[in-house]
Amino acid sequence: MTKKLFIKTYGCQMNVYDSERMAEALGGQGYVETATPEDADMILLNTCHIREKAAEKVYSELGRLKPLKELNPELKIGVAGCVAQAEGEEIMRRQPAVDLVVGPQTYHRLPEMEARVRSGLPALDTDFPAEDKFDHLKGRPKARRAPAAFLTVQEGCDKFCAFCVVPYTRGAEVSRPAARVLEEARDLVERGVREVTLLGQNVNAYHGGMTLAGLIRELARIDGLERIRYTTSHPNDMGDDLIAAHAEVEELMPYLHLPVQSGSDRILKRMNRSHTAESYLQLIERIRVARPDIVLSGDFIVGFPEETDADFEATMELVRQVRYGYAFSFKYSSRPGTPAAERPGVDPDVADDRLQRLQALITEHQREIQDSMVGREMDVLVEKPGRNPGQMIGKSPYLHSVHIEGGTAAVGDIARVRILDAKTNSLGGVQV
Ligand code: 5AD
Ligand code: SF4
């Protein structure tokens, strides 16, 4: 009998990938995905623990979902992902409607856990098992799929930035063997994928028998795989061979997410980042020499403990020097168990004000870079039909969303597009 599965995904792209693999794992138990929680027999929240707000959202969602159990006595509710890893049993104590808790490294055990909750027992698994979950997940189904896909190649982190939960929720740095990654990539290409984004919390530290640059060169040789991206990287792992790949590998897209977090050396030191603002700027310079048109993106934290006005100005100055095409900035959020959690934070109003100023500056640069695309011709990977008749939506090499008018391009095509206008979150153009 088919049962219905509803998965809601929070947080990063790796969670998006994991949700897909969890749905596949439960597919073997007769589950098909549904888009609404109301008709589900199993609801999984795949959660994020990176900031306090992200974690709290999970509990409010669980509160909203709980009444559905009265309507459908067969309904089971599970919490997966990083909140599951960090809080474990505590989740079931705080919300007794939860039947199942599974961490990011044990979801290959979901079929057994599902059977257990069906028999009326709770199931909890937040181990860091010795075995690799990917070896235990069944082969991926053969169905056609969207032209752009995520592919996890590395997980976990050994860097221990003072603010960050990732080393605790995702565990130590582990790379998947290159042969496995290549196999999965070939399989994705057979199913219609033309662009892969290689995922890892520290993806450029990849060492699955070769470096990330080596892996990218191997992937580029796969027929039909036209575009390669990777995220997220740490400045200290940006090897010479990876920078060279940006100059030499045509399939490697001219976009790089390279978080710096702060422009103040004093704060970087307290964050345990082991790089300086200057070393980061020099690195950016070398990357731009290799690939002059590259669009950069970054992450920033404002209001980190002891951040002064002068520290914040240093961040603004770094942003002015780099000119990011996109950037994500966050107010510091104290996370239990991290070294910085013990330190007194900055006044919340001051942090709010800094966040607004930083975001305004970043938006200005984002807008300028988008405007600079107008008049250019570029290859756009067509991903889906748009709202207007004949309109298609795709991605530029620089990760801008592009609305293509009046062309003949189909989903999965790479269309040559002349950009005619730039809006806040997208570009518009015509097929040439
Ligand atoms: N508070 C605020 N932002 C954080 N990030 C990570 N941990 C925290 C925290 N405790 C941000 C960093 C990271 C991004 C994924 O989230 O900028 O790069
Ligand atoms: Fe959130 Fe980090 Fe877990 Fe991704 S790895 S879901 S960003 S806590």
Side-chain angles (χ1 to χ4, degrees):
M1 201 194 76
T2 59
K3 290 167 278 183
K4 288 187 176 166
L5 171 68
F6 174 78
I7 304 191
K8 181 162 177 172
T9 307
Y10 300 82
C12 63
Q13 292 148 325
M14 195 176 287
N15 267 12
V16 175
Y17 176 85
D18 288 339
S19 290
E20 212 180 284
R21 302 295 311 245
M22 285 190 240
E24 290 169 8
L26 286 171
Q29 309 302 107
Y31 281 90
V32 293
E33 275 194 87
T34 169
T36 48
E38 287 77 15
D39 63 348
D41 303 294
M42 165 82 82
I43 295 176
L44 278 182
L45 303 184
N46 192 13
T47 62
C48 176
H49 203 244
I50 198 91
R51 286 169 290 273
E52 191 182 353
K53 265 194 194 147
E56 281 309 314
K57 268 193 208 158
V58 176
Y59 286 101
S60 11
E61 183 67 18
L62 287 170
R64 278 193 295 275
L65 293 172
K66 189 182 172 184
L68 293 179
K69 281 196 147 182
E70 280 155 36
L71 303 174
N72 176 7
E74 293 302 307
L75 173 63
K76 302 292 175 192
I77 298 179
V79 177
C82 295
V83 175
Q85 191 63 46
E87 302 196 351
E89 251 179 307
E90 177 60 25
I91 297 174
M92 288 166 161
R93 234 173 277 139
R94 213 172 133 179
Q95 180 46 272
V98 173
D99 304 283
L100 179 156
V101 172
V102 61
Q105 303 311 347
T106 45
Y107 63 74
H108 56 295
R109 297 175 180 164
L110 267 174
E112 294 94 277
M113 296 178 78
E114 193 272 343
R116 191 177 149 88
V117 296
R118 284 285 156 223
S119 75
L121 296 166
L124 175 111
D125 195 338
T126 53
D127 284 357
F128 284 112
E131 82 264 17
D132 176 355
K133 65 177 176 258
F134 296 114
D135 289 344
H136 293 263
L137 289 163
K138 297 211 182 64
R140 311 199 64 180
K142 291 290 168 205
R144 277 307 275 185
R145 46 172 305 152
F150 295 130
L151 173 44
T152 293
V153 304
Q154 178 278 339
E155 243 183 297
C157 181
D158 297 338
K159 296 275 191 300
F160 292 92
C161 296
F163 49 80
C164 188
V165 291
V166 168
Y168 315 99
T169 57
R170 289 275 172 178
E173 223 175 278
V174 178
S175 296
R176 293 179 70 189
R180 293 298 165 78
V181 173
L182 292 165
E183 196 183 318
E184 192 170 327
R186 280 188 212 102
D187 182 66
L188 289 170
V189 169
E190 274 171 31
R191 296 165 57 197
V193 169
R194 313 208 57 195
E195 170 178 311
V196 291
T197 301
L198 307 176
L199 299 181
Q201 274 88 29
N202 240 304
V203 72
N204 58 344
Y206 177 82
H207 54 88
M210 53 181 80
T211 62
L212 185 66
L215 182 66
I216 288 168
R217 286 179 193 271
E218 289 297 317
L219 285 163
R221 291 170 49 190
I222 298 176
D223 262 354
L225 185 54
E226 310 291 344
R227 293 177 154 201
I228 302 167
R229 307 178 186 276
Y230 60 94
T231 197
T232 286
S233 298
H234 191 288
N236 292 2
D237 292 313
M238 218 48 223
D240 291 342
D241 61 342
L242 189 52
I243 296 176
H246 278 281
E248 293 158 13
V249 181
E250 205 189 319
E251 290 82 357
L252 185 56
M253 291 292 103
Y255 170 86
L256 176 63
H257 184 59
L258 197 59
V260 64
Q261 314 297 352
S262 168
S264 154
D265 289 343
R266 213 177 65 89
I267 293 298
L268 287 169
K269 197 162 180 138
R270 283 169 168 71
M271 287 178 165
N272 193 32
R273 291 284 298 178
S274 30
H275 60 75
T276 62
E278 187 53 36
S279 69
Y280 178 83
L281 290 170
Q282 280 168 5
L283 175 61
I284 297 289
E285 185 52 39
R286 285 169 52 220
I287 295 165
R288 282 195 164 134
V289 168
R291 183 76 207 223
D293 67 334
I294 200 159
V295 168
L296 293 158
S297 76
D299 290 336
F300 293 90
I301 295 177
V302 302
F304 188 77
E306 298 170 68
E307 185 187 67
T308 63
D309 285 338
D311 292 322
F312 175 68
E313 288 310 324
T315 297
M316 294 287 277
E317 188 47 38
L318 180 141
V319 170
R320 279 184 209 105
Q321 291 195 34
V322 175
R323 308 187 84 77
Y324 293 92
Y326 314 81
F328 308 92
S329 43
F330 311 99
K331 235 186 340 174
Y332 170 71
S333 168
S334 167
R335 306 308 291 126
T338 60
E342 311 299 322
R343 308 176 202 161
V346 161
D347 178 337
D349 291 337
V350 172
D352 273 329
D353 180 63
R354 287 178 189 164
L355 186 66
Q356 277 182 26
R357 286 180 52 206
L358 178 58
Q359 284 180 342
L361 181 65
I362 289 166
T363 307
E364 208 179 287
H365 295 161
Q366 182 176 333
R367 192 66 220 223
E368 278 170 25
I369 289 172
Q370 282 185 210
D371 287 346
S372 76
M373 302 285 164
V374 174
R376 289 179 53 182
E377 268 182 29
M378 57 184 71
D379 290 334
V380 176
L381 175 62
V382 181
E383 291 188 310
K384 58 185 178 196
R387 281 218 191 105
N388 307 337
Q391 186 189 54
M392 299 299 277
I393 299 177
K395 283 266 157 51
S396 81
Y398 312 100
L399 213 60
H400 292 114
S401 175
V402 182
H403 295 232
I404 313 161
E405 306 295 338
T408 52
V411 170
D413 288 352
I414 292 179
R416 194 77 187 153
V417 173
R418 185 190 307 280
I419 303 300
L420 298 179
D421 59 50
K423 301 197 182 67
T424 319
N425 289 311
S426 64
L427 303 173
V430 289
Q431 204 178 337
V432 293

